[in-house]
Amino acid sequence: MQRAWWSGYGTKESSGRLQWRNIVFRPDFFPVQRSVEYKTSAEEDAAAMACALYVTVDCSRTQRIKRRATFPEKKSKVSKIKGRSKKVKICQISLPQLETSTSDSIVSLTVGSKRHRDEFYNVSCEQLANKLLGEVLVRRLEDGTVLRGRIVETECYLGGEDRASHSYRGKVTERNKPMYMKPGTAYVYFTYGMYHCFNISSMEPGGCVLLRAVEPLQGTEYMLSEREKRKKAPKDIVLDLTMSSCSALSNQKKNKSLKIHELCNGPSKLCISFNISKQSSNTRDLCSWEGMWIEPDQNDRVGPHNVVSCPRIGIDSAGFEWASKPLRFYIIGNPSVSRRDKVKEKQISKLASILAGK
């Protein structure tokens, strides 16, 4: 975890939140070795607001810990703000890793500043499923751990007439109510009595997009540890195996570690690796929640010629018509995809070669 040390003056508001002013940053935290200056008061207020997102402290108890931030009290000081004198605390703060950017002598601090806003999600279910491909899913845990992964596979569930959707024929239950909430709401449900699946609501009432697979980018050690905890025992164990063969099989299983592309190559594997559960993430607004959001990947944009559209997985009970509709989308050639449709891939490759020949 990267530590950022700050010092500044704080004033207690009626809500109990500590409002920071005159923030000074240690120069060794930033790549620019000079003190930070604010050219406008708006920039100073923006930095103060960024602190307030992470820091909530009762001034009467400076040792109280919130979000693993520490507040060693130094001394009291009287500061004049808008003509009024207030007794404030001078504290030194240790925070989890923050997103920072430098431009000349100005430093801006934001939490999920690159995240997609309401307009990104306010589209049809099928459009959203395609737009999400190549975007980055970001998960910030309570201890400050940050996980990132590129979305490489999605499925859309249209609601209404879609027999495979939880909201078929406009059905509304306590379980599926996030599907009817504002676009960009997380819908996490429990399935098979042991797994979670993570969806995002779209513009249509009852429409949502299931995230099926993610390519890990950051926090792979944490993801691996979470997956190792939930590893299933081999199904082909015979009860009358000798002790020696059991031991050999156990050692073989322990030595076989998951590969990076296997960490999130399925909807439940994704939820395990990113610590997404119904209790922690359901009904959350991805446009504002600090615990998870989606942001663009500026380095790798996905074009329509790189996307395979094919039938969804595991919905045969919905009938042939809806089970065969091409409502699953994935990035061709990405190893983190849960299941490839080789027939569709050959068709795309053949079409690409024809277009290239012209």
Side-chain angles (χ1 to χ4, degrees):
M1 180 185 297
Q2 190 176 15
R3 291 189 177 274
W5 288 93
W6 316 38
S7 63
Y9 304 115
T11 60
K12 184 180 179 183
E13 299 179 336
S14 59
S15 62
R17 186 179 292 278
L18 201 63
Q19 181 68 40
W20 293 94
R21 299 285 179 182
N22 303 326
I23 301 168
V24 180
F25 302 83
R26 276 182 50 173
D28 57 350
F29 172 67
F30 295 100
V32 182
Q33 298 291 328
R34 55 174 176 268
S35 60
V36 177
E37 299 175 356
Y38 294 100
K39 293 184 178 180
T40 67
S41 59
E43 291 161 353
E44 180 178 356
D45 291 338
M49 289 176 64
C51 293
L53 288 174
Y54 279 88
V55 181
T56 303
V57 60
D58 185 346
C59 289
S60 63
R61 295 181 61 193
T62 56
Q63 297 301 325
R64 184 177 178 183
I65 298 177
K66 288 285 185 90
R67 299 180 186 270
R68 294 184 179 265
T70 57
F71 304 90
E73 179 181 343
K74 286 187 175 180
K75 61 181 179 179
S76 298
K77 184 173 181 176
V78 176
S79 174
K80 289 187 177 181
I81 299 178
K82 295 184 179 179
R84 295 176 293 174
S85 297
K86 292 186 178 181
K87 191 173 183 179
V88 298
K89 307 285 185 181
I90 299 179
C91 301
Q92 201 172 39
I93 308 168
S94 174
L95 294 177
Q97 181 179 355
L98 301 177
E99 298 174 14
T100 61
S101 61
T102 58
S103 175
D104 295 328
S105 59
I106 299 175
V107 176
S108 62
L109 294 170
T110 53
V111 180
S113 61
K114 299 177 183 178
R115 75 169 70 213
H116 286 300
R117 301 297 176 179
D118 292 333
E119 59 274 8
F120 177 84
Y121 303 100
N122 194 25
V123 294
S124 69
C125 189
E126 195 167 347
Q127 284 181 291
L128 182 59
N130 279 276
K131 288 177 68 175
L132 286 168
L133 293 177
E135 304 302 280
V136 178
L137 174 66
V138 184
R139 178 84 165 96
R140 187 189 296 275
L141 305 178
E142 291 184 359
D143 64 355
T145 301
V146 177
L147 311 173
R148 279 186 167 85
R150 182 180 294 108
I151 300 170
V152 298
E153 184 181 359
T154 59
E155 281 183 351
C156 63
Y157 291 85
L158 308 176
E161 297 180 353
D162 186 353
R163 290 180 176 270
S165 176
H166 290 176
S167 57
Y168 174 52
R169 289 183 175 175
K171 180 181 178 181
V172 181
T173 64
E174 185 65 25
R175 178 199 194 194
N176 72 0
K177 66 180 182 180
M179 301 178 75
Y180 294 91
M181 297 174 72
K182 68 180 287 291
T185 300
Y187 170 39
V188 183
Y189 63 86
F190 201 49
T191 182
Y192 297 117
M194 63 178 69
Y195 298 122
H196 287 95
C197 292
F198 170 43
N199 305 257
I200 303 173
S201 64
S202 59
M203 180 178 66
E204 308 97 329
C208 71
V209 176
L210 170 68
L211 269 59
R212 282 200 57 90
V214 162
E215 176 190 352
L217 299 176
Q218 180 180 343
T220 53
E221 291 184 3
Y222 177 88
M223 298 179 193
L224 181 60
S225 67
E226 291 298 300
R227 286 294 313 281
E228 291 289 345
K229 294 177 187 176
R230 300 285 297 274
K231 261 189 177 180
K232 292 191 292 185
K235 296 180 180 179
D236 54 350
I237 292 181
V238 182
L239 295 178
D240 59 350
L241 289 174
T242 62
M243 291 297 294
S244 59
S245 59
C246 283
S247 177
L249 182 61
S250 177
N251 292 334
Q252 183 182 3
K253 193 70 179 177
K254 288 180 180 178
N255 294 333
K256 186 179 179 182
S257 180
L258 290 168
K259 298 178 181 178
I260 297 299
H261 70 269
E262 296 174 329
L263 294 176
C264 306
N265 62 339
S268 298
K269 297 175 184 178
L270 187 161
C271 288
I272 294 171
S273 297
F274 275 74
N275 195 8
I276 298 172
S277 65
K278 185 173 182 178
Q279 182 179 5
S280 67
S281 308
N282 193 39
T283 72
R284 297 284 193 171
D285 184 358
L286 299 182
C287 300
S288 59
W289 185 35
E290 296 174 29
M292 186 163 60
W293 63 89
I294 292 174
E295 61 186 30
D297 184 3
Q298 304 294 343
N299 300 322
D300 188 11
R301 306 303 297 172
V302 178
H305 58 283
N306 292 326
V307 176
V308 177
S309 58
C310 55
R312 295 172 290 185
I313 296 174
I315 60 165
D316 292 341
S317 59
F320 176 79
E321 179 186 356
W322 286 97
S324 60
K325 286 185 179 294
L327 295 176
R328 179 167 73 101
F329 309 93
Y330 68 86
I331 300 175
I332 191 170
N334 192 289
S336 294
V337 171
S338 65
R339 188 186 300 178
R340 295 170 54 193
D341 189 322
K342 295 183 180 181
V343 175
K344 285 281 187 177
E345 290 184 13
K346 286 181 180 179
Q347 293 175 356
I348 292 175
S349 300
K350 185 176 181 179
L351 180 61
S353 60
I354 293 174
L355 293 175
K358 291 182 178 180

